[in-house]
Amino acid sequence: MATSVFLGSSLVHQASVTLTNAQIKAWPSTPIVIVPATEVLNYSGTPTILPIPVYAVGLFNFTAGAYTNVDANARALLAFGSDWSDDASQSNYIQQKFTAARRGLIWFQLPRLFGIDVTIDDNLVTDNIFIDDNFQDNALAVACFNGGGALTGGHAGNTLMIDVQYLVLNTATGQFE
């Protein structure tokens, strides 16, 4: 699951998960943990460490069968918390990718570039994340927003591999570990 790689003087962690057809179909209601929690918070308190994604990509192989019931605004997401407590990042729309029997990539937008509390600095729009009393735990999960609920169709041979590289933020010191 998670491994660590030294790149220069920083410690970058990497984790991957491969979703099966059954997991892909249930994905809109069942986030998949990619970086396991080290703390359970139950929406009370602040995590002492938090995985901060810096790069993420999904590689899908749906050549065996396309999905149906995919909303026009459907997106793949990286989520803070094993229960999808808050969005960490999102992809572009995935409807065209999921409704065709083919292979391809899903790019996640990092840093998080959406949300309610938006600030603009040097033409880069970023979103604030409140970490006090906001998370079930400090896991990093992959989730799917789909207004129509569960996906249908697909094929048992379909897979979606998601790879994320992340830094671990110590929230007490503000330093990456």
Side-chain angles (χ1 to χ4, degrees):
M1 184 113 119
T3 59
S4 298
V5 181
F6 279 102
L7 299 175
S9 63
S10 67
L11 181 62
V12 177
H13 303 270
Q14 182 171 334
S16 298
V17 65
T18 300
L19 280 62
T20 65
N21 181 60
Q23 289 173 308
I24 294 166
K25 289 166 78 169
W27 201 22
S29 62
T30 310
I32 307 295
V33 172
I34 191 167
V35 178
T38 59
E39 299 173 90
V40 176
L41 302 162
N42 292 320
Y43 294 96
S44 177
T46 303
T48 58
I49 62 169
L50 195 60
I52 305 295
V54 293
Y55 179 82
V57 65
L59 174 63
F60 62 88
N61 182 347
F62 300 158
T63 55
Y67 292 95
T68 53
N69 194 41
V70 183
D71 185 90
N73 294 316
R75 293 178 182 268
L77 302 150
L78 292 177
F80 289 118
S82 59
D83 67 340
W84 188 355
S85 301
D86 200 351
D87 297 344
S89 174
Q90 65 182 350
S91 71
N92 289 327
Y93 299 113
I94 59 173
Q95 183 185 40
Q96 289 182 335
K97 294 175 175 78
F98 277 55
T99 57
R102 60 189 193 190
R103 296 174 193 227
L105 298 172
I106 298 171
W107 298 102
F108 291 84
Q109 299 169 352
L110 294 165
R112 183 173 129 163
L113 301 176
F114 56 96
I116 297 170
D117 300 309
V118 176
T119 59
I120 299 177
D121 182 27
D122 296 327
N123 299 318
L124 175 66
V125 178
T126 60
D127 182 25
N128 300 316
I129 299 171
F130 298 101
I131 61 173
D132 291 336
D133 305 326
N134 201 35
F135 300 125
Q136 166 62 31
D137 53 40
N138 67 339
L140 189 62
V142 291
C144 177
F145 169 79
N146 186 46
L151 305 180
T152 54
H155 186 275
N158 287 357
T159 58
L160 170 58
M161 190 279 299
I162 298 175
D163 185 78
V164 62
Q165 294 175 357
Y166 62 98
L167 300 173
V168 176
L169 177 66
N170 181 318
T171 62
T173 66
Q175 301 293 311
F176 289 109
E177 300 178 347

